[in-house]
Amino acid sequence: MTIELIVIGKTDSKEVAALVEQYARRIDFYCRFRLTVLPDVRNTRNLTEKQQRTAEGEAILRQLTDGDYVALLDEHGTEYRSVEFAAWLQKRMNSGMKRLVLVIGGPYGFSEAVYARADTRLSLSKMTFSHQIVRALFAEQLYRAFTILNNEPYHHE
């Protein structure tokens, strides 16, 4: 199985980008992992939030194929403890799917078309995080899930 993390816009923090890259390398040890950074929508000053979500949504939808299982990182999604998330990930891997696509949207969330295409929604917390820092937090949780599944000493419970 391939896991692809799709994000909107480059991070403006070298530290966050380095952290995401570090976890991406670690995840790649367990499965094929790909980080896809879609360009920011241009001229957002002239767009409403809905128009910006729609433009980002079109870019996201162009990255998806029919067989993809799509999980949106969304504040209204299901929250899991790390061990529960690892079990969720194991179910996806056992299902025989070829590609699990995890999507972190832009600052205003997702368009209705992206919500309609998604198979599920995940939430890291009830707190709000910047869409850039979520990349590092989620990449770490994905790595943690693999270490849990492989009984490695990274996670302590």
Side-chain angles (χ1 to χ4, degrees):
M1 179 175 77
T2 298
I3 296 178
E4 183 164 354
L5 178 60
I6 297 175
V7 300
I8 301 290
K10 290 183 180 178
T11 181
D12 54 5
S13 167
K14 290 181 215 165
E15 296 81 7
V16 170
L19 197 54
V20 171
E21 181 56 37
Q22 176 185 352
Y23 284 112
R25 282 192 307 271
R26 291 180 181 186
I27 295 164
D28 209 35
F29 176 78
Y30 300 100
C31 73
R32 284 177 302 224
F33 179 76
R34 183 172 168 206
L35 174 66
T36 300
V37 179
L38 302 178
D40 282 315
V41 174
R42 297 187 189 270
N43 301 319
T44 55
R45 270 190 228 156
N46 301 326
L47 300 176
T48 66
E49 290 177 14
K50 183 177 181 180
Q51 289 170 323
Q52 186 171 338
R53 282 193 309 266
T54 299
E56 290 169 349
E58 289 169 357
I60 291 166
L61 292 171
R62 282 193 296 270
Q63 300 299 311
L64 305 177
T65 62
D66 287 341
D68 293 343
Y69 185 92
V70 179
L72 306 180
L73 270 72
D74 183 82
E75 64 184 355
H76 302 293
T78 303
E79 288 184 51
Y80 293 106
R81 292 176 50 252
S82 295
V83 172
E84 295 167 336
F85 176 66
W88 178 90
L89 182 61
Q90 184 70 65
K91 278 186 179 178
R92 306 288 86 69
M93 291 188 304
N94 290 347
S95 73
M97 72 178 57
K98 292 185 179 168
R99 195 164 83 132
L100 169 62
V101 180
L102 305 152
V103 187
I104 299 173
Y108 302 114
F110 298 102
S111 68
E112 290 303 316
V114 172
Y115 279 123
R117 171 58 181 87
D119 294 292
T120 193
R121 299 180 199 180
L122 304 173
S123 175
L124 287 174
S125 170
K126 292 181 182 180
M127 293 181 176
T128 301
F129 301 107
S130 77
H131 64 284
Q132 292 188 22
I133 199 70
V134 165
R135 299 167 191 203
L137 292 171
F138 189 68
E140 190 279 338
Q141 283 300 300
L142 197 53
Y143 170 69
R144 181 176 297 271
F146 278 110
T147 65
I148 290 167
L149 294 174
N150 287 280
N151 297 314
E152 295 172 359
Y154 183 79
H155 179 76
H156 305 284
E157 184 140 324

